[in-house]
Amino acid sequence: MSIRIRKKPATPKPEDIAAIREAMARFDPSASTTIVGADKAKVQDIFAPTAHSKALDPATTLVLGARGAGKSFWASALYNPETRELAAALYPRLGLDKLQVQIGFGGVRRAGVSKAIIDQLVPVGQEKAAADSFWQAVIAGAALEVTEPGQKHAVKEMLKRFADPEDWADAMEEVDDKLTENGETLLIVFDALDAISEDWGRLSGLVDALMRSVWELRGFNAIRAKLFMRPDQLSELTLRFVELSKLRSGAAKLVWKQADLYGLMFARLAFDEDTNDAFGRLVKSCGLGTLPEEQEELRTWALSNNESEQQQLFEAMAGNFMGNGPRKGKTFDWPYRHLADGLGDVTPRSFLILMQSAAERSAERNASDLVLLPQTIRDGLREASKVRIEQLNTEYPWIKRVLQPLAGLRVPAEPQAFFDAWIENSTVQAAIKIAKKENSLSPVQNRSLGKSVHSDSEADLADRLTKMGVLTNRPDGRYDMPDLFRVGAALLKKGGVTPKA
């Protein structure tokens, strides 16, 4: 048996360290991807973990992913021809080169049907009566681009044209036959479903009907739909779709392992035109070969997925340990361990924010022997936590009001410690008012607050935060808060990263 001995890397030149650090500081992870427009997925940003193959497979209807996991990115990559071409090369077994892709709903202008049209054609309170035919009209409009390309297929016209269900079935069969004859598949993408409505009941009714309509496509050979949703959204909505368990059992989840995230970061550095020479010299000095010349080579590049080689490279960039020895943890493992939410998910957005912030702070400290100083990695966690809460606040504008009374609380703590802090500050009532004012989903679902301090509303709020991954339940009954939220919310933890540097 041969034992591989790691080659000790040569000390990188200061100018190479500065160049790599500058490239990391240019990461732009906080911007959200949209399915179309200026923020659509870009070819240079594509990194394709093997585990995401099922999510892109046209046969997979439901794709689940946390905030920042890449749902809108992959929806956009599938829709836009240039990114779909690269995805087809990276996932050659999926037949993505044989796809026609249309948008059913994308949450932004020029991305399928708009919220205004939904509100007009499915009035509030009419979800049960009108939503099924509405979504069938949306699907028909997308499908007719195959047999009637270039024509306008407005939803209102589709509703009139296919008032008779048999006419809808005949038109869809014609589309299906043409696609089958050409060896192609039509994929209709639905993304950003939480943007359909701010009302819990209405959103549940609309998503229920969408799932029924999509489920009925199983009868066609070459017409498929793909829904991108958050797991907490799926669990929080009161869905009555009878086949939901089957849809959920076949779902794909966008999970990012530690090796995937480092692979993503190293791929960004490898294809950064201003930095790849410096990064290539560092990689070579570690005895890790050369950089890929084309993105298609990422599938076989060891630094895309080999944790041992990734660790060797990152330790050359940031040192071995977070302190003077192993007691504080290894630099390679530390970011992933501290960026997980309560559901165990670590997203590219949080990971790249941490690295971006660490690079900026290392430059400010004029570090010359390492790309990243361990202390700046801790600082990067503070920034990632702050950004995660800010982004969560755009969707749930009450979240800061809910977290504010908890500042200074040491976790893990008994549930009553959380409840008392919220009761003392009238938190639930205030959060509900904010939700109504901002037309956002409420922090609690249709529960009577009551006049007693022993109301169940605080427990309902804690349950909601647990489903969102902001809180966790420990086996001993206490609540804990992952560092991803705890640091930004200024809660304390023995031995943990302090909220302020």
Side-chain angles (χ1 to χ4, degrees):
M1 178 184 295
S2 61
I3 300 175
R4 180 180 178 182
I5 300 175
R6 286 187 180 181
K7 178 182 177 181
K8 184 177 180 180
T11 303
K13 297 178 181 179
E15 56 266 32
D16 285 350
I17 289 177
I20 296 169
R21 190 185 293 145
E22 288 172 9
M24 296 178 70
R26 289 197 299 270
F27 288 162
D28 185 21
S30 59
S32 297
T33 304
T34 53
I35 199 165
V36 295
D39 294 328
K40 67 182 180 182
K42 297 175 177 59
V43 169
Q44 63 267 29
D45 291 337
I46 287 185
F47 179 77
T50 302
H52 290 196
S53 175
K54 184 179 179 181
L56 270 68
D57 190 337
T60 301
T61 301
L62 182 61
V63 179
L64 301 174
R67 297 170 188 84
K71 297 185 300 299
S72 293
F73 182 89
W74 281 128
S76 180
L78 285 170
Y79 175 69
N80 294 287
E82 63 276 14
T83 47
R84 186 166 69 248
E85 181 180 356
L86 177 56
L90 293 170
Y91 296 107
R93 297 182 181 180
L94 298 184
L96 301 183
D97 56 334
K98 301 292 185 181
L99 280 188
Q100 291 192 41
V101 183
Q102 297 292 331
I103 307 173
F105 181 82
V108 294
R109 287 184 179 274
R110 302 181 66 185
V113 65
S114 68
K115 180 179 180 299
I117 294 296
I118 297 175
D119 291 342
Q120 180 187 39
L121 299 180
V122 186
V124 175
Q126 297 297 311
E127 295 81 19
K128 184 174 291 188
D132 287 83
S133 57
F134 172 83
W135 289 120
Q136 287 190 332
V138 171
I139 290 170
L144 289 178
E145 288 295 322
V146 175
T147 52
E148 301 173 6
Q151 297 187 29
K152 189 174 182 180
H153 300 106
V155 181
K156 188 178 295 186
E157 296 303 317
M158 295 295 99
L159 283 168
K160 293 178 182 178
R161 180 173 169 178
F162 298 117
D164 185 337
E166 289 189 6
D167 292 338
W168 183 87
D170 290 343
M172 296 294 286
E173 286 177 11
E174 183 181 352
V175 171
D176 192 44
D177 290 343
K178 183 172 182 179
L179 288 165
T180 303
E181 181 182 342
N182 294 337
E184 295 180 321
T185 298
L186 170 66
L187 183 66
I188 308 170
V189 174
F190 295 85
D191 184 40
L193 297 181
D194 52 323
I196 290 176
S197 176
E198 298 86 9
D199 178 78
W200 278 101
R202 176 166 170 77
L203 182 59
S204 294
L206 290 168
V207 172
D208 245 344
L210 174 59
M211 287 185 170
R212 283 193 295 270
S213 298
V214 164
W215 186 255
E216 292 178 4
L217 296 178
R218 294 177 304 123
F220 299 105
N221 294 318
I223 304 174
R224 298 284 182 269
K226 191 177 291 292
L227 312 180
F228 289 88
M229 295 182 69
R230 297 194 317 272
D232 60 299
Q233 181 184 18
L234 189 64
S235 63
E236 289 172 16
L237 294 175
T238 309
L239 300 177
R240 296 180 173 84
F241 173 50
V242 294
E243 304 289 357
L244 179 60
S245 60
K246 294 179 181 178
L247 201 59
R248 191 196 294 264
S249 66
K253 187 173 181 182
L254 291 175
V255 175
W256 289 82
K257 299 178 182 178
Q258 180 166 268
D260 297 330
L261 294 170
Y262 277 104
L264 170 65
M265 182 177 73
F266 293 150
R268 293 272 178 99
L269 293 174
F271 290 104
D272 186 305
E273 293 182 358
D274 296 328
T275 310
N276 53 15
D277 286 344
F279 185 61
R281 285 190 289 271
L282 175 61
V283 170
K284 187 176 181 180
S285 75
C286 292
L288 299 174
T290 60
L291 304 185
E293 296 183 2
E294 303 291 340
Q295 284 184 281
E296 288 85 347
E297 296 176 38
L298 288 173
R299 295 178 60 231
T300 57
W301 188 41
L303 287 169
S304 290
N305 49 43
N306 186 308
E307 280 203 18
S308 176
E309 296 196 4
Q310 290 175 342
Q311 179 174 348
Q312 184 178 347
L313 179 57
F314 191 69
E315 288 178 352
M317 297 170 64
N320 294 356
F321 304 114
M322 293 295 293
N324 294 326
R327 191 171 61 88
K328 294 291 186 180
K330 294 181 178 180
T331 55
F332 180 73
D333 298 324
W334 196 93
Y336 193 83
R337 290 208 328 264
H338 290 267
L339 287 173
D341 65 14
L343 304 175
D345 292 317
V346 180
T347 66
R349 183 179 296 167
S350 295
F351 184 82
L352 293 178
I353 287 173
L354 183 151
M355 295 299 177
Q356 177 195 45
S357 176
E360 290 178 344
R361 292 172 184 269
S362 293
E364 291 171 359
R365 298 186 182 196
N366 294 316
S368 59
D369 54 343
L370 292 172
V371 176
L372 304 178
L373 297 174
Q375 180 55 50
T376 67
I377 296 176
R378 292 190 187 87
D379 294 337
L381 173 63
R382 296 184 179 97
E383 182 63 21
S385 181
K386 174 184 173 183
V387 171
R388 184 61 176 267
I389 291 174
E390 289 290 344
Q391 291 176 334
L392 199 60
N393 195 64
T394 63
E395 185 175 352
Y396 300 109
W398 42 263
I399 190 67
K400 288 185 178 180
R401 180 62 179 83
V402 166
L403 294 177
Q404 183 272 327
L406 304 178
L409 181 67
R410 186 176 296 276
V411 290
E414 295 295 333
Q416 197 61 46
F418 287 81
F419 301 163
D420 289 346
W422 286 333
I423 291 170
E424 183 179 350
N425 290 271
S426 303
T427 300
V428 175
Q429 295 89 336
I432 290 174
K433 288 181 180 178
I434 293 171
K436 289 181 178 179
K437 180 181 177 181
E438 300 294 334
N439 291 319
S440 73
L441 294 176
S442 175
V444 293
Q445 295 189 49
N446 301 322
R447 293 278 191 128
S448 172
L449 293 177
K451 297 181 180 180
S452 169
V453 296
H454 300 295
S455 167
D456 289 336
S457 57
E458 283 72 31
D460 289 345
L461 177 58
D463 183 60
R464 177 74 189 285
L465 294 179
T466 301
K467 290 179 179 178
M468 291 167 59
V470 176
L471 288 181
T472 59
N473 279 307
R474 292 173 66 97
D476 61 6
R478 293 181 295 171
Y479 285 132
D480 205 347
M481 184 177 289
D483 283 352
L484 181 61
F485 301 103
R486 178 189 67 78
V487 176
L491 278 73
L492 306 176
K493 190 167 191 174
K494 184 179 180 180
V497 175
T498 56
K500 293 183 180 181

